């Protein structure tokens, strides 16, 4: 966006960036009807904050402000750089495993039994594959933690965690009904479209069970109970090990804990999470 092209977006980011001690990022909107947002760049000073047009249409201004603060949290923590570098580690291990396993099998088929190079390559390949699995799970865990950190940052820098709670619920629902989820770079979005579809579908598959008053509609309380129950499912917990984002309900729970902390009066701006 050019300066002055979207005054509200520009002034809101400027206000929150100043409050965060960050340089003003470049701004962009994406001609996409799904509600999502992301940040990218090589350095803090060259970062770009992008909002989907669907997000601006489906969320109110306070909810969008919570999302913007979340994305500024990623800039503050340099997540787009950290996660890009860390994501290379399992990828390198995976390629080493592929090359050495193939070379070991090829070598074993061509050489005589006295030559152990094929076996050694296969051992290296197996070890590399194990390293790939371990580092992949670690990177996914760090990705989920950094989403929690960005959520917490949004709560503290805006002082209104409830706006991001509402935004996350709308984003998850909006993404769940989108025709197709993007295949790549899902870790950089505020919510993974594929994960959102799975979360909502799991609940809708058991709609009759969760529709306590049997009125055919899941109200806010019923949906909350459904998400809480689903988050405790062993299957969901196992799947979450491979997820880039925490389940929406866990993110909302963290924001509610922060909100309760703020209501105690013990919270102050000089203790803001950074």
């Amino acid at each position: 966006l050019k300066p002055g092209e979207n005054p509200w977006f520009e002034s809101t980011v400027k206000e929150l960036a100043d409050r965060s001690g960050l340089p003003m990022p470049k701004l962009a909107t994406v001609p996409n009807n799904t509600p999502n947002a992301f940040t990218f760049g090589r350095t803090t000073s060259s970062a770009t904050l992008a909002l989907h047009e669907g997000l601006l249409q489906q969320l109110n201004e306070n909810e969008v402000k919570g999302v913007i603060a979340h994305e500024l949290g990623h800039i503050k923590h340099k997540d787009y750089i950290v996660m890009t570098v860390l994501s290379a580690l399992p990828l390198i291990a995976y390629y080493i495993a592929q090359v050495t396993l193939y070379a070991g099998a090829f070598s074993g088929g061509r050489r005589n039994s006295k030559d152990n190079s094929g076996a050694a390559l296969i051992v290296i390949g197996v070890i590399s594959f194990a390293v790939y699995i371990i580092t992949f799970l670690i990177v996914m865990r760090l990705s989920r933690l950094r989403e929690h950190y960005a959520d917490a940052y949004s709560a503290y820098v805006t002082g209104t965690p409830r706006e991001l709670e509402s935004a996350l619920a709308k984003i998850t629902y909006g993404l769940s009904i989108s025709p197709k989820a993007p295949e790549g770079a899902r870790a950089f979005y505020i919510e993974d479209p594929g994960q959102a579809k799975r979360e909502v579908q799991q609940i809708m598959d058991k709609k009759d069970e969760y529709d306590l008053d049997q009125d055919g509609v899941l109200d806010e309380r019923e949906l909350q109970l459904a998400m809480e129950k689903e988050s405790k499912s062993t299957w969901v917990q196992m799947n979450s090990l491979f997820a880039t984002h925490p389940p929406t309900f866990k993110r909302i729970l963290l924001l509610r804990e922060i909100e309760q902390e703020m209501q105690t009066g013990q919270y102050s701006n000089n203790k803001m999470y950074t």
Side-chain angles (χ1 to χ4, degrees):
L1 296 176
K2 296 177 182 178
E5 195 170 347
N6 189 323
W8 179 86
F9 184 17
E10 186 176 344
S11 63
T12 302
V13 174
K14 183 69 168 63
E15 174 197 344
L16 293 173
D18 288 345
R19 198 180 300 176
S20 302
L22 291 170
M24 182 70 176
K26 298 174 185 176
L27 305 180
T29 56
V30 182
N32 188 307
N33 291 328
T34 60
N36 225 328
F38 58 93
T39 303
F40 64 93
R42 294 186 302 274
T43 64
T44 301
S45 58
S46 67
T48 298
L49 193 161
L51 301 181
H52 283 203
E53 289 179 357
L55 186 94
L56 293 168
Q57 293 164 1
Q58 297 175 38
L59 275 61
N60 64 43
E61 289 187 352
N62 287 331
E63 291 165 340
V64 175
K65 188 174 182 179
V67 170
I68 290 171
H70 170 99
E71 294 304 325
L72 288 175
H74 282 308
I75 296 176
K76 185 79 171 180
H77 305 142
K78 299 179 174 61
D79 287 336
Y80 46 87
I81 301 171
V82 173
M83 292 311 300
T84 299
V85 172
L86 290 178
S87 295
L89 300 179
L91 191 63
I92 292 170
Y94 178 76
Y95 280 122
I96 292 174
Q98 273 197 324
V99 170
T100 51
L101 285 172
Y102 178 80
F106 182 76
S107 176
R110 293 193 55 179
R111 298 179 180 243
N112 59 52
S113 59
K114 294 181 181 180
D115 190 342
N116 294 324
S117 61
L121 285 170
I122 289 176
V123 170
I124 293 172
V126 170
I127 293 173
S128 297
F129 190 75
V131 170
Y132 158 68
I133 295 294
I134 293 169
T135 54
F136 175 78
L137 291 174
I138 290 172
V139 169
M140 292 299 98
R141 169 66 174 163
L142 287 173
S143 178
R144 294 192 298 273
L145 280 175
R146 298 185 89 83
E147 289 300 324
H148 275 312
Y149 293 158
D151 287 345
Y153 190 84
S154 172
Y156 287 126
V157 81
T158 62
T160 53
R162 185 160 297 192
E163 301 302 342
L164 184 58
E165 291 176 33
S166 177
L168 289 173
K170 287 185 179 180
I171 289 169
T172 300
Y173 176 75
L175 292 174
S176 75
I177 60 175
S178 62
K180 184 181 178 182
E183 297 296 330
R186 293 180 299 176
F188 290 88
Y189 288 106
I190 189 172
E191 178 61 271
D192 176 357
Q195 183 176 330
K197 283 182 176 292
R198 290 191 297 272
E199 280 188 42
V200 174
Q201 188 59 51
Q202 286 163 356
I203 292 174
M204 295 310 294
D205 288 343
K206 302 177 183 177
K207 181 180 176 182
D208 291 340
E209 176 186 342
Y210 295 132
D211 187 10
L212 301 179
D213 55 12
Q214 297 299 308
D215 64 350
V217 178
L218 295 181
D219 60 31
E220 183 180 353
R221 178 59 179 165
E222 290 167 340
L223 186 59
Q224 177 183 334
L225 292 172
M227 293 175 71
E228 185 174 7
K229 187 172 182 180
E230 287 295 319
S231 69
K232 295 176 181 178
S233 161
T234 302
W235 177 251
V236 170
Q237 290 177 356
M238 289 295 293
N239 280 338
S240 68
L241 294 175
F242 302 93
T244 57
H245 292 65
T248 303
F249 185 73
K250 289 188 176 181
R251 298 174 71 176
I252 290 174
L253 273 182
L254 172 66
L255 291 165
R256 287 182 179 174
E257 289 177 8
I258 294 173
E259 186 177 17
Q260 290 171 0
E261 175 193 274
M262 290 179 172
Q263 290 172 351
T264 63
Q266 298 175 356
Y267 160 79
S268 61
N269 284 334
N270 60 357
K271 293 181 180 179
M272 186 177 74
Y273 174 80
T274 57

